[in-house]
Amino acid sequence: MNVLLMAYGTPYRREEIAPYYTDIRRGRPPSPELLQELEERYHLIGRSPLSEITYAQAVRLEAALNATLPLYPKPFQASPGPRVRGPARVYLGTKHWHPFIAEAVRAMAEDGVKQAVGIVAAPHYSARSIAEYREKVEAALAELGHPFAFRLVEAYHDHPSYIQALAQRVAEQLWRLRQPSQALFLFTAHSIPERSAQDGRYQAQVRETAARVAATLGLAHWDTAWQSAGRTPEPWIGPDVNERLEAAAAQGFGEVVVTAVGFPSDHLEVFYDLDYEAQNTAARLGLRLLRTRSLNAEPDYIEVLRDLVLREWAAWTQKPVA
Ligand code: FEC
């Protein structure tokens, strides 16, 4: 079984921020002001941990799959050497920095992969996320003459174990609230330009995730909000999380719990946009803001990925799910 795990990607060093940003902007270099502003955001958080987290997700997903799948199709190895190769192999490809998705697809082709399932560390489908990951894989496959067949898990916003993992982390915050029944629970995801969200599919999926977590915990007051809108002149979907905090203060809430359901991992958009910017907004408004910890590479999120990959593979190859 071959898996392509994909995520956003992050620069490793300061001098990589400019080419990384240029890649996000589809080859258009940012203005010096935009670049400086992004460099300052990275500097303020220290650095993004996204690459380490994504790497850990790939390694643990491969181990989880290999602990599940029967070993018998592999030839017996009397002396397996330092690494025991199981029947599953997970490749890692990231959207805007190394290892680029095209680099991962090339490595898979060189290894003789004939069939692979793809999954993204982003649970909700949008034209500016999952659709772009698919386009990048398809472009790389086309360039190599279609060396392997590919299927992508498109969304898992309502996967019961994903909902449960989120609910468990929101529940951890209940202990810290002075008045849990009077608190507002906000569920956030990355904003996208309005013109890319006209069919409402993305907004509906984020709302569905939030509704299911809220129902699991019986939350009295909850809502969705959007974060991290890009620095472009066009309108992006809202309300922005900072605007929603303003409204929460006006509604008389004193405590708010924010859960970034659109992001499984910690990174710039969590550490800067929530832990710095939204915290500052909350402090200015006299609100107490708590942030739910991220899923990262923890076992319950790896189990969600494992289950989705196995189901996609079984549906494709008609084999029962292990
Ligand atoms: O920690 C890190 O270094 C990377 C954090 C990071 C993640 C992420 C996820 C998503 N984005 C999505 C959409 C857009 C659109 C644009 C855009 C721009 C940026 C910029 C940075 C950035 N994004 Fe991002 N995003 C992350 C980081 N993103 C940095 C550039 C500066 C800025 O605008 O703030 C606008 C592109 C353009 O200008 O044309 C659209 C979506 C996700 C969630 C799904 C996913 O993870 O793929 C959607 C993590």
Side-chain angles (χ1 to χ4, degrees), residues 23-317:
D23 191 82
I24 291 176
R25 291 167 50 88
R26 301 173 192 219
R28 288 174 299 118
S31 66
E33 296 75 31
L34 278 177
L35 177 60
Q36 188 186 356
E37 194 245 353
L38 183 58
E39 285 176 346
E40 278 165 13
R41 274 190 276 154
Y42 276 107
H43 180 66
L44 202 133
I45 65 159
R47 64 182 290 277
S48 169
L50 185 58
S51 48
E52 287 82 357
I53 293 167
T54 311
Y55 183 78
Q57 286 166 344
V59 169
R60 291 177 190 175
L61 175 59
E62 185 175 281
L65 288 167
N66 279 327
T68 307
L69 297 166
L71 280 165
Y72 58 78
K74 281 271 158 193
F76 175 71
Q77 288 173 286
S79 170
R83 183 173 176 204
V84 183
R85 284 283 304 279
R89 179 107 194 242
V90 175
Y91 295 80
L92 176 60
T94 57
K95 197 170 165 214
H96 295 299
W97 202 241
H98 301 282
F100 282 112
I101 290 168
E103 292 169 344
V105 169
R106 181 172 293 278
M108 293 167 85
E110 282 168 6
D111 285 354
V113 168
K114 292 287 168 244
Q115 209 174 3
V117 167
I119 189 161
V120 184
H124 306 91
Y125 180 90
S126 88
R128 299 307 299 271
S129 57
I130 308 303
E132 291 183 352
Y133 288 92
R134 183 193 285 286
E135 278 165 28
K136 285 186 185 281
V137 175
E138 284 175 355
L141 285 171
E143 196 164 312
L144 297 171
H146 299 282
F148 58 86
F150 180 75
R151 267 173 78 128
L152 181 68
V153 175
E154 281 209 333
Y156 45 98
H157 60 288
D158 55 357
H159 189 286
S161 305
Y162 167 62
I163 300 299
Q164 195 53 45
L166 290 172
Q168 193 190 322
R169 284 160 182 77
V170 177
E172 290 168 3
Q173 301 303 322
L174 296 176
W175 297 100
R176 302 178 61 203
L177 291 167
R178 296 180 194 123
Q179 288 184 292
S181 62
Q182 304 298 314
L184 175 66
F185 293 81
L186 276 185
F187 298 93
T188 65
H190 203 296
S191 181
I192 56 173
E194 277 178 8
R195 73 186 152 87
S196 305
Q198 276 164 0
D199 66 2
R201 182 176 170 187
Y202 181 53
Q203 298 95 310
Q205 287 190 354
V206 173
R207 193 88 193 159
E208 176 79 21
T209 300
R212 288 185 184 227
V213 175
T216 303
L217 296 171
L219 303 178
H221 310 287
W222 64 272
D223 202 356
T224 50
W226 304 93
Q227 60 167 98
S228 318
R231 277 66 178 162
T232 66
E234 61 194 325
W236 289 60
I237 55 172
D240 178 78
V241 63
N242 296 286
E243 288 165 18
R244 189 61 187 86
L245 289 174
E246 301 262 0
Q251 289 171 303
F253 288 105
E255 294 184 301
V256 180
V257 176
V258 173
T259 308
V261 295
F263 302 127
S265 307
D266 284 325
H267 45 61
L268 181 74
E269 317 294 69
V270 175
F271 287 175
Y272 183 87
D273 295 336
L274 295 181
D275 292 351
Y276 179 73
E277 201 175 58
Q279 272 296 353
N280 283 345
T281 303
R284 178 171 53 76
L285 296 166
L287 283 174
R288 181 161 179 251
L289 188 145
L290 303 176
R291 198 221 350 129
T292 304
R293 77 188 161 92
S294 302
L295 303 177
N296 289 329
E298 291 181 26
D300 50 359
Y301 181 52
I302 300 303
E303 173 51 28
V304 172
L305 298 175
R306 186 196 71 99
D307 184 61
L308 288 160
V309 165
L310 284 176
R311 281 178 195 282
E312 193 71 31
W313 188 266
W316 194 6
T317 60

